[in-house]
Amino acid sequence: MKKYLDQFKPFLIFIGTFFAAYIALTLLYKFYLNSFKADEVDGITNLVGRNVEQLLHAFNFDVKIQKSISNSWLEVLYNNQYIVRIIEGCNAISVIILFIAFVLAFSGKFKVTLYYILFGIVFIYILNIARIALLTILLFHFPEKNHLLHGVLFPLIIYGTVFILWIIWVNKFSKYAK
């Protein structure tokens, strides 16, 4: 048994670190979410909504983002037409948690790991803001493409980008990089 533990030690450390970080960060996030009432929009989702609105206003789009009267989401109005809603799941925190857990599981030097995690958080957040803004505009013009845009293309872009960030991390900065 000890022979197998020694043989698979790097893998077991990776799995253990990944799941420990993922579970810890997910629990922290759930505690954060539980601090809001059921009909409230959490602070991070509100910030995402404000940033999407600011980005679209910067390009002179007629957009207004407001809290739903009876639900815990933000409504996005484009040209005075309700287009999409921004729910808690749209704030990219779950994607960021996944990103952080993977980087920690393949951690390198403390400072480099910390900087890469901070870079990744900011990059994913900005990409997500651009994703929601672009999705709003595209769904206004092509509402029949909702499944393709929201269900396929945009998840592929955000998860594909995170995957590329992971590959860069493992090959350039982690303790396993050559």
Side-chain angles (χ1 to χ4, degrees):
M1 183 69 168
K2 184 174 175 3
K3 178 178 91 170
Y4 291 114
L5 286 176
D6 288 339
Q7 181 181 357
F8 294 111
K9 185 178 178 181
F11 174 74
L12 295 173
I13 290 172
F14 166 78
I15 292 293
T17 305
F18 176 84
F19 281 115
Y22 185 79
I23 291 168
L25 291 170
T26 300
L27 287 174
L28 281 172
Y29 183 54
K30 292 300 176 192
F31 284 128
Y32 165 78
L33 290 177
N34 288 338
S35 70
F36 294 90
K37 295 177 185 163
D39 63 340
E40 284 183 308
V41 177
D42 69 276
I44 297 170
T45 303
N46 270 318
L47 181 61
V48 167
R50 276 197 314 270
N51 292 152
V52 169
E53 189 172 42
Q54 290 167 338
L55 177 61
L56 288 170
H57 282 160
F59 289 98
N60 294 319
F61 287 104
D62 179 20
V63 67
K64 181 179 180 188
I65 298 182
Q66 63 191 20
K67 160 84 174 73
S68 170
I69 293 171
S70 58
N71 298 299
S72 62
W73 61 65
L74 302 172
E75 297 173 339
V76 181
L77 304 167
Y78 179 70
N79 292 339
N80 294 318
Q81 182 181 338
Y82 173 76
I83 303 297
V84 296
R85 64 182 182 206
I86 301 174
I87 62 171
E88 175 271 323
C90 298
N91 65 20
I93 296 301
S94 60
V95 176
I96 290 170
I97 288 172
L98 194 63
F99 169 77
I100 293 170
F102 184 88
V103 171
L104 288 175
F106 274 107
S107 64
K109 294 177 184 170
F110 176 77
K111 204 174 185 180
V112 175
T113 301
L114 179 64
Y115 286 151
Y116 198 80
I117 287 172
L118 292 174
F119 164 78
I121 290 170
V122 171
F123 189 80
I124 293 166
Y125 183 83
I126 291 169
L127 178 66
N128 188 54
I129 298 302
R131 174 189 77 93
I132 295 169
L134 191 55
L135 187 60
T136 299
I137 295 164
L138 289 172
L139 287 177
F140 176 78
H141 294 290
F142 308 103
E144 72 281 0
K145 302 291 185 189
N146 182 23
H147 174 69
L148 175 67
L149 294 170
H150 184 265
V152 178
L153 184 62
F154 283 95
L156 180 65
I157 290 169
I158 199 151
Y159 284 109
T161 300
V162 170
F163 183 72
I164 290 168
L165 289 172
W166 287 341
I167 290 172
I168 292 168
W169 172 252
V170 170
N171 290 315
K172 298 282 184 196
F173 303 109
S174 79
K175 61 186 169 193
Y176 300 102
K178 293 179 181 176

